[in-house]
Amino acid sequence: MVRIIASLVGAAFVFVLGLALFGTVSEWVSNPPVESAEHEFHHHPLDAGLSSAGFFGKFDRRQVQRGFQVYQEVCSACHSLKYVSFRDLTQLGYNDAEVKAIAKGWKIEQPTINPDTGEASTRPNVPSDRFPSPFANDIAARAANNNALPPDLSLMAKARHDGANYIYSLVGHGYVAQPAELIRKFPASKTPTGLHYNQYFANLNIAMPPPLTQDGQVTYADGTRASVDQMAKDVSAFLTWTAEPRLEARHAAGFGAVVFLIIFCFLAWGAYQNVWRDLKH
């Protein structure tokens, strides 16, 4: 009796699945998906070739420092790093004195309250502070950016699919002239006033103007030639670090776990052979 009930339940389950599949297929045949500009003209990210990519990836400290310089001189005008502290920069090779100097010289000071008057005031940053937002609040941020809210960049490399390559492609190679073929096929997709065409952005139109506009926009402290492509790679490396500063430790732990499992399998196999060797016929 139990087998009969189980068979009936299984048959009903299969019938419902088949019915759902038939409905999906028939709907797709009768109403095929409409071709969109995003589907046809959106590009997949280019490979940035970062040293942190891959199973054995490690950060190139010099490159990440250059990326921090790009963030400091270009990106920090609009974007915050609210989950990163100044003292975290010691992980990139900066010593304590350099971190103190970077924090103290940061163009945006920390908001505070004057203890004598009770009025809002500011104070210089210290290493334990997190990077301050360039705007007092979201309203001020929108007012300064054509009603667009610049996202925080702390976790951007984790928040977007293929994050490091996405950032590299978006800021370094995404801003191109809108293809004439796109306007011909999809007239309504013409980039509106105030937005910028970017072939790597989800809907092809982004509020952020091109941040990297010319070679030499940043003068690297280590003498590296600051081409637009190089700056895009470096800032994507830096934002990969801000999103996952313990990436190297995770990779090392993963490698150790794999080695342990391989050794354990051999030991288990050897134990099995030893225990059962006298019982085999």
Side-chain angles (χ1 to χ4, degrees):
M1 185 65 181
V2 175
R3 289 186 176 181
I4 295 176
I5 295 175
S7 299
L8 290 174
V9 171
F13 183 70
V14 171
F15 173 76
V16 171
L17 286 179
L19 192 63
L21 178 62
F22 174 78
T24 301
V25 173
S26 61
E27 176 65 22
W28 184 83
V29 172
S30 58
N31 297 300
V34 179
E35 188 179 32
S36 66
E38 292 85 351
H39 181 268
E40 184 171 346
F41 290 90
H42 178 265
H43 290 218
H44 293 290
L46 303 171
D47 183 9
L50 301 182
S51 62
S52 57
F55 187 77
F56 300 101
K58 292 185 176 182
F59 290 117
D60 179 341
R61 292 302 192 275
R62 290 183 60 186
Q63 181 176 49
V64 179
Q65 286 188 14
R66 293 196 302 267
F68 169 64
Q69 190 176 346
V70 175
Y71 168 77
Q72 181 179 16
E73 297 185 21
V74 180
C75 309
S76 64
C78 297
H79 296 279
S80 58
L81 280 181
K82 63 182 179 181
Y83 297 118
V84 183
S85 299
F86 286 101
R87 63 186 173 191
D88 294 334
L89 296 177
T90 56
Q91 300 175 32
L92 303 184
Y94 294 102
N95 59 41
D96 291 340
E98 289 173 326
V99 170
K100 288 181 180 179
I102 291 171
K104 187 175 181 180
W106 200 257
K107 52 193 170 186
I108 304 296
E109 295 189 329
Q110 290 289 332
T112 186
I113 300 296
N114 188 317
D116 298 325
T117 64
E119 297 180 351
S121 181
T122 60
R123 62 164 175 79
N125 297 282
V126 296
S128 59
D129 289 327
R130 293 184 176 181
F131 283 85
S133 171
F135 303 105
N137 50 48
D138 289 353
I139 296 175
R142 290 184 182 277
N145 291 277
N146 196 25
N147 204 38
L149 182 64
D152 179 78
L153 297 183
S154 306
L155 304 176
M156 188 57 65
K158 300 288 286 185
R160 298 292 184 268
H161 174 67
D162 200 13
N165 293 331
Y166 168 78
I167 294 169
Y168 161 68
S169 303
L170 182 83
V171 302
H173 300 275
Y175 292 93
V176 296
Q178 192 170 31
E181 180 68 9
L182 183 151
I183 300 175
R184 185 186 66 80
K185 294 183 67 173
F186 306 98
S189 296
K190 185 176 180 180
T191 300
T193 302
L195 299 182
H196 307 269
Y197 181 79
N198 192 299
Q199 60 189 347
Y200 296 103
F201 195 64
N203 66 3
L204 302 178
N205 297 309
I206 187 171
M208 179 177 69
L212 304 176
T213 57
Q214 61 183 358
D215 294 348
Q217 188 172 343
V218 172
T219 302
Y220 283 136
D222 65 1
T224 300
R225 180 177 177 272
S227 64
V228 170
D229 180 76
Q230 184 66 55
M231 290 186 290
K233 284 183 180 180
D234 294 342
V235 76
S236 68
F238 173 68
L239 295 179
T240 299
W241 171 78
T242 63
E244 195 169 7
R246 295 188 57 79
L247 176 142
E248 294 171 328
R250 179 174 62 82
H251 284 180
F255 177 73
V258 170
V259 171
F260 169 78
L261 290 174
I262 292 174
I263 295 174
F264 176 79
C265 288
F266 277 104
L267 291 175
W269 179 79
Y272 168 80
Q273 295 295 323
N274 185 60
V275 170
W276 292 96
R277 63 182 177 182
D278 296 330
L279 300 179
K280 293 181 178 179
H281 298 287

